[in-house]
């Protein structure tokens, strides 16, 4: 079991002492309820039915557009880092984010389901949001809903460690026409335009966001090529050198509402995408990637045709690609891998193209006394329809015969192995059909039980059934208690089932999905409209973890259901408004997770996190926001003999000014105010870590923003 730090009890005591001085007199019941359950306090991600966060049968967090603006966030990752028990770590390739909930960490982060407007954006290739994710800007975001814990009973696959739903702005969320610019460190440039209009009886909202940056200039001291240089006597490494984090992003969204219908479409285009510390943790300043993600969905909702029934249906389409703009140099020119020198470098250019189509329908029935029944069914068709690859190593398909295949010698030109047996991944489709049922039962005025189950049938690995049960007790006007139990699953990615012709890892088509069982005890206490506390205890069992296991007598590793992990912890959060123009927030989380495979503590994830923020509205025109984030106690795997991972401490500051009645807003932000040396753990690989000194994060960054409202 975990040992709660004395600091946790100090924070709880401190927050309780704050509440004893909070003003709460002279308010009507209606005013008090509005303070508790304002618009920003409702959530639908927990059950598919809109409920107050405090009453929802889940441990949930809502981040509003106002919250995002107050903190001066540039990307949704900066907003998500404020959620209790959630840490945003980084992968060496492209510094892609991994959302680590409650100690659940793995490469590519497929255990977290991300939705945009309720539609999954999971890729088949790695089961994540896409290797060329490139972040998501925030100007078109209306709110972010986050569930900590399993959600497969509602959302199916990959709603495992947590679920993130990003809701974009519609007509009612935009005030006229808004145009803005943000400039900052590392040649960072942002432009955005939001516009709404009425077209006949319909309502249209359009947003366009453009981001361009050179990325941070932190230095990698030594890399994977440094190790190869030592082994083969070469001098090819580009380290010390800067990480490659250039970006050019275009985000375009359209939202049209008419009567009971809503149509949404979007494009997320990522180009000039640098690969961070390299695909093989060897610096590559040359490579650039491209990705285009197109989405469209049409939604119908009818809650007025029948007294006791409401209906909703959705059709959605998502098209995504991973393309190479400039050659991916896995190891730099001059590398020798034991068979000779590669004068142009060791080059491989993998590309994948996917289509995802979904159809689902939901009906809610309220005809039974004290019961709200929800029925749903859906169909998913995923198609990894194109795989392309050029490279200057491996087998040459042009000269290969049934009797003999030639291996390309070092220094050979690039060859195209697409549509041959020697490409790195097989093309394939995946079909899923599901049905779900859920009952919200108001047992008594103060008691509510939510129970449900979802059954999924997959074309490649069969059926899985995932139930949930939640008991919510309104102890009194101020206190809500919840007991939650749920099961979840994570479907194997196509890399884990279909990878071929890889010199190090191979897929396994016989994999089972990963499984999760979770139990939570949560309390929500609101002694007055300006004070709120949350306290959650959780325990989970993570089984059949998919890992690449060394093949006996070979240099390869094959995907197997080989791991098991148990975790438990506490999450505390508090919000206090001691006066009308001041708001303080704090959250503190403690978790321990045990790797049952080798008996050690699970690696990479923080065991403790502390977040503090202050929002001061000096006047109607000025406001100041500051936050402190402290990430502690991250362990390495047992084989990794490096020194302990340094704790991260960062302070951010944002100042915003907008005069009443004036259309111009100005904001100034400083990220990592004290220029702390912040690092995220780099992976271990036998016999040594390629990047020994971990991944350096950005130092101090300064940003200035101007927005004009027409």
């Amino acid at each position: 079991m975990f040992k709660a730090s004395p600091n946790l009890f100090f924070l709880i005591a401190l927050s309780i002492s704050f509440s004893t001085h909070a003003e709460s007199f002279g308010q009507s019941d209606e005013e008090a309820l509005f303070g508790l359950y304002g618009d920003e306090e409702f959530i639908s991600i927990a059950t598919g039915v809109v409920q107050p966060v405090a009453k929802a049968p889940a441990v949930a967090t809502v981040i509003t557009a106002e919250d995002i603006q107050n903190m001066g966030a540039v990307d949704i990752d900066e907003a998500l880092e404020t959620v209790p028990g959630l840490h945003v770590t980084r992968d060496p390739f492209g510094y892609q984010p991994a959302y680590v909930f409650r100690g659940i960490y793995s490469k590519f982060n497929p255990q977290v389901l991300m939705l945009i407007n309720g539609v999954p954006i999971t890729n088949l290739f790695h089961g994540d949001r896409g290797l060329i994710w490139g972040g998501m800007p925030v100007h078109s975001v209306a709110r972010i809903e986050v569930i900590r814990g399993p959600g497969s009973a509602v959302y199916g696959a990959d709603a495992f460690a947590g679920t993130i739903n990003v809701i974009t702005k519609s007509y009612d969320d935009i005030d006229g026409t808004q145009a803005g610019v943000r400039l900052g460190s590392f040649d960072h440039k942002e432009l955005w335009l939001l516009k709404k209009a009425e077209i006949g009886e319909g309502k249209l909202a359009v947003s366009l966001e453009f981001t361009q940056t050179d990325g941070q200039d932190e230095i990698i001291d030594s890399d994977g090529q440094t190790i190869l240089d030592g082994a083969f006597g070469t001098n090819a490494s580009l380290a010390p050198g800067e990480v490659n984090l250039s970006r050019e992003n275009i985000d375009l969204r359209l939202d049209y509402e008419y009567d009971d219908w809503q149509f949404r479409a979007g494009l997320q285009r990522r180009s000039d995408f640098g690969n961070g510390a390299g695909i093989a943790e060897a610096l590559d300043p040359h490579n650039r990637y491209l990705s285009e993600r197109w989405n469209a969905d049409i939604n119908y909702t009818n809650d007025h045709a029948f007294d006791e029934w409401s209906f909703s249906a959705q059709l959605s389409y998502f098209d995504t690609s991973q393309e190479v703009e400039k050659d991916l140099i896995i190891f730099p020119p001059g590398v020798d891998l034991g068979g000779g020198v590669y004068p142009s470098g060791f080059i491989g250019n993998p590309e994948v193209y996917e289509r995802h189509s979904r159809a689902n329908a939901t009906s809610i029935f309220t005809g039974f006394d004290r019961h709200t029944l929800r029925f749903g069914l859906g169909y998913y068709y995923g198609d990894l329809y194109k795989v392309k690859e050029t490279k200057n190593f491996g087998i040459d398909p042009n000269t290969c015969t049934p009797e003999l295949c030639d291996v390309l010698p070092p220094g050979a030109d690039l060859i195209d192995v697409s549509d041959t047996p020697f490409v790195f991944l097989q093309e394939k489709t995946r079909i899923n059909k599901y049905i779900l049922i859920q009952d919200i039962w108001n047992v008594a005025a103060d008691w509510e039980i939510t129970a449900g189950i979802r059954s999924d049938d997959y074309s490649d690995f069969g059926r899985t059934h995932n139930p949930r049960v939640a008991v919510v007790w309104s102890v009194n006007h101020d206190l809500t208690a919840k007991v939650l139990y749920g099961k979840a699953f994570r479907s194997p990615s196509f890399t884990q089932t279909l990878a071929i012709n890889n010199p190090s890892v191979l897929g396994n088509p016989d994999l089972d999905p990963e499984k999760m069982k979770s139990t939570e005890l949560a309390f929500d206490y609101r002694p007055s409209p300006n004070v709120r506390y949350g306290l959650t205890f959780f325990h989970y069992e993570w089984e059949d973890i998919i890992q690449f296991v060394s093949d006996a007598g070979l240099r390869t590793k094959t995907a197997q259901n080989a791991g098991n992990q148990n975790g438990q912890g506490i999450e505390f959060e508090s919000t206090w408004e001691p006066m009308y123009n001041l708001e303080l927030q704090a959250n503190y989380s403690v978790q321990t997770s045990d790797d049952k495979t080798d008996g050690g503590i699970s690696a990479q994830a923080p065991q403790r996190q502390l977040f503090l923020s202050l929002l001061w509205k000096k006047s109607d025109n000025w406001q100041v926001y500051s936050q402190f984030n402290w990430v502690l106690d991250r362990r390495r795997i047992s084989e990794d003999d490096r020194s302990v991972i340094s704790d991260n401490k960062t302070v951010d500051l944002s100042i915003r000014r907008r005069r009443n009645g004036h259309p111009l807003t100005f904001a100034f932000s400083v990220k990592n105010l004290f220029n702390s040396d912040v690092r995220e753990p780099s992976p271990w690989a036998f016999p040594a870590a390629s990047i020994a000194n971990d991944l350096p994060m950005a130092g101090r960054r300064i940003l200035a923003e101007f927005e004009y409202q027409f």
Side-chain angles (χ1 to χ4, degrees), residues 45-47 57-60 101-102 104 111-113 146-164 438 450 452 454 465-470 483-490 514-521 536-542 567 571:
I45 190 176
T47 60
V59 180
F101 285 84
R102 297 176 170 178
I104 297 174
Q111 290 81 17
V112 175
L113 176 64
V146 182
I147 295 294
R148 309 193 296 274
S152 287
V154 178
Y155 292 102
D158 313 323
F160 195 83
T163 303
I164 301 168
Q438 173 184 273
T450 300
R454 171 166 161 158
H465 312 288
N466 294 274
R468 68 181 303 202
V469 178
V483 179
L484 314 171
Y485 172 80
K487 294 179 68 176
F489 74 102
R490 199 275 286 183
E514 297 181 353
K515 302 178 184 66
M516 166 78 74
K517 292 185 289 187
S518 174
T519 306
E520 300 165 276
L521 173 63
T536 302
F537 302 87
F538 65 86
H539 173 82
Y540 65 81
E541 298 176 8
W542 179 14
E571 296 160 350

Side-chain angles (χ1 to χ4, degrees), residues 239-285:
E242 296 180 4
V243 291
N244 177 9
L245 288 174
S246 66
R247 300 282 190 276
E248 184 174 291
N249 295 354
I250 296 175
D251 290 73
L252 174 64
R253 297 198 178 276
L254 179 148
D255 186 301
Y256 181 72
E257 299 174 83
Y258 175 77
D259 196 21
D260 295 329
W261 296 86
Q262 183 177 30
F263 172 76
R264 292 178 295 223
L267 164 66
Q268 291 180 294
R269 188 178 193 274
R270 305 293 181 256
S271 60
D272 195 34
F273 181 97
N275 63 21
I279 189 70
E281 298 168 47
L283 293 178
D284 174 15

Side-chain angles (χ1 to χ4, degrees), residues 8-46:
L8 172 63
F9 301 106
F10 169 75
L11 285 170
I12 296 173
L14 182 63
S15 296
I16 292 174
S17 71
F18 285 164
S19 70
T20 61
H21 297 86
E23 297 292 336
S24 59
F25 301 103
Q27 292 185 310
S28 67
D29 288 343
E30 289 79 7
E31 289 172 329
L33 286 171
F34 181 80
L36 287 176
Y37 306 125
D39 288 344
E40 74 278 3
E41 290 291 340
F42 281 82
I43 192 169
S44 61
I45 190 176

Side-chain angles (χ1 to χ4, degrees), residues 445-503:
D446 300 329
W447 288 87
E448 183 176 276
I449 298 175
T450 300
I453 188 169
R454 171 166 161 158
S455 178
D456 289 78
D457 187 3
Y458 278 81
S459 58
D460 50 352
F461 61 82
R463 295 182 179 177
T464 177
H465 312 288
N466 294 274
R468 68 181 303 202
V469 178
V471 179
V472 179
W473 176 29
S474 298
V475 181
N476 54 42
H477 181 73
D478 304 327
L479 177 63
T480 302
K482 310 176 186 180
V483 179
L484 314 171
Y485 172 80
K487 294 179 68 176
F489 74 102
R490 199 275 286 183
S491 54
S493 70
F494 277 11
T495 295
Q496 293 168 332
T497 59
L498 302 174
I500 55 175
N501 300 315
N502 189 310

Side-chain angles (χ1 to χ4, degrees), residues 35 72 129 235 316 358 461 530 586 615-616 634 665 667 692:
R129 296 157 292 281
N235 188 30
S316 68
R358 290 179 167 86
F461 61 82
N530 51 2
L615 175 62
W616 177 37
R634 292 170 292 178
T665 300

Side-chain angles (χ1 to χ4, degrees), residues 115-174:
L115 313 166
I116 296 181
N117 297 316
V119 179
I121 56 171
T122 304
N123 284 219
L124 291 167
F125 181 27
H126 282 302
D128 60 354
R129 296 157 292 281
L131 277 182
I132 319 303
W133 169 244
M136 184 172 179
V138 296
H139 305 290
S140 63
V141 175
R143 56 198 275 125
I144 305 172
E145 300 178 345
V146 182
I147 295 294
R148 309 193 296 274
S152 287
V154 178
Y155 292 102
D158 313 323
F160 195 83
T163 303
I164 301 168
N165 187 25
V166 180
I167 301 171
T168 58
K169 291 180 178 178
S170 60
Y171 179 92
D172 293 333
D173 300 310
I174 299 174

